[in-house]
Amino acid sequence: RVLFRSRLSTGTKIHLFRASALAVPIRDCVIDTAYSFGVFHHTTNPPQCMAEASRVLKPGGSLFVYLYGAHESAWLKRLGVGAERILMALMRKLPRRWREACCVILSPPMWALFSLPARVLTACGFAALARSLPMHWGSGPFSLVPDLKDRLLAPVNHRYTRAGLDRTLRESGFQHVEVRATPSGLYAYCEKAAAPSGVRVLSPAFGMASLEALRPLPVWRRDVHSGPGSADRKSTRLNS
């Protein structure tokens, strides 16, 4: 965050602050666009994150989001999801340093088992089949370490079916929902439903997400089920 601040030119209207996606400290109906990539599914309550995004967005405002998919149509990846849950349950009992070491140890065999065959299949003209393999994107023996940490060190990983994500977004007050399923997960675009006729929506005086729009909420509101290193901290990537 400090590095990003240093690269901002003077006079910009970009404001950085840290908060939880479960309780965004911004007034209702003041944001034009919200974006979240790979964050909501690591929180204790993804639907609450979507409801918060809907709350702070102006009517007609848009949300772009990426979430882990359940891979309901890819049996091999479904097996991988099951293995992921077992590993998470086992590794949760270990100290963090040991868990990080496990991710480093697991990367080479995962690369050899999935990424390397995927590269061979792609070279032979079977790119679609290659993308159906778990961890098919590895470029080297230890290139999968960040992905393994993202999956195995998180307190929780929620996964959605395409229909389930569509339903959750609509229940959160969004319309024009478009969900695209890819081998890597689900990408969604939607818009907040327009305000009812006769309802006036006030915008902040100094533009989108100005500091005047911030509400006096606690910076952190940890869920009672979350520990000090919980994914609720990671949920701060909801960008306004």
Side-chain angles (χ1 to χ4, degrees):
R1 187 174 64 164
V2 174
L3 178 62
F4 186 54
R5 281 185 184 276
S6 67
R7 293 182 177 178
L8 290 177
S9 60
T10 58
T12 60
K13 292 185 178 180
I14 299 176
H15 306 287
L16 301 179
F17 62 94
R18 179 177 293 178
S20 171
L22 296 169
V24 182
I26 297 178
R27 286 204 314 253
D28 298 358
C29 304
V30 295
I31 302 298
D32 294 307
T33 302
Y35 167 85
S36 174
F37 188 91
V39 176
F40 289 173
H41 54 224
H42 286 315
T43 68
T44 53
N45 192 347
Q48 174 63 22
C49 296
M50 300 177 204
E52 277 292 276
S54 176
R55 180 184 63 77
V56 301
L57 282 168
K58 299 175 184 177
S62 55
L63 169 68
F64 299 85
V65 63
Y66 162 78
L67 294 170
Y68 284 161
H71 302 299
E72 62 269 26
S73 59
W75 67 270
L76 189 56
K77 288 200 171 187
R78 285 205 308 275
L79 291 177
V81 171
E84 173 189 282
R85 289 174 178 170
I86 293 174
L87 284 172
M88 286 181 66
L90 294 175
M91 292 175 62
R92 194 174 291 124
K93 303 176 182 179
L94 301 175
R96 183 175 179 84
R97 292 178 60 183
W98 290 20
R99 287 185 285 156
E100 291 178 348
C102 287
C103 293
V104 175
I105 294 170
L106 285 171
S107 183
M110 295 293 285
W111 174 78
L113 188 61
F114 298 115
S115 300
L116 196 57
R119 296 180 69 177
V120 173
L121 288 171
T122 300
C124 294
F126 299 100
L129 180 59
R131 288 193 297 270
S132 69
L133 298 177
M135 300 285 179
H136 62 270
W137 53 85
S139 58
F142 294 98
S143 61
L144 297 174
V145 172
D147 296 282
L148 289 169
K149 285 184 177 180
D150 185 54
R151 287 161 172 75
L152 301 180
L153 300 188
V156 63
N157 288 340
H158 292 280
R159 290 183 176 271
Y160 281 87
T161 64
R162 184 174 180 177
L165 179 55
D166 182 284
R167 181 176 62 254
T168 302
L169 288 169
R170 294 183 187 279
E171 290 174 350
S172 298
F174 291 100
Q175 61 183 2
H176 307 308
V177 179
E178 299 178 18
V179 180
R180 178 175 297 181
T182 72
S184 61
L186 301 177
Y187 295 82
Y189 168 83
C190 53
E191 297 175 358
K192 181 177 178 178
S197 177
V199 176
R200 183 185 178 191
V201 179
L202 299 178
S203 299
F206 298 101
M208 180 182 71
S210 69
L211 293 180
E212 287 74 21
L214 300 181
R215 295 186 298 153
L217 293 180
V219 174
W220 292 110
R221 187 189 74 181
R222 292 210 194 126
D223 189 276
V224 294
H225 301 294
S226 304
S230 76
D232 287 354
R233 285 185 178 269
K234 188 176 181 182
S235 67
T236 61
R237 291 184 189 171
L238 176 64
N239 298 325
S240 53

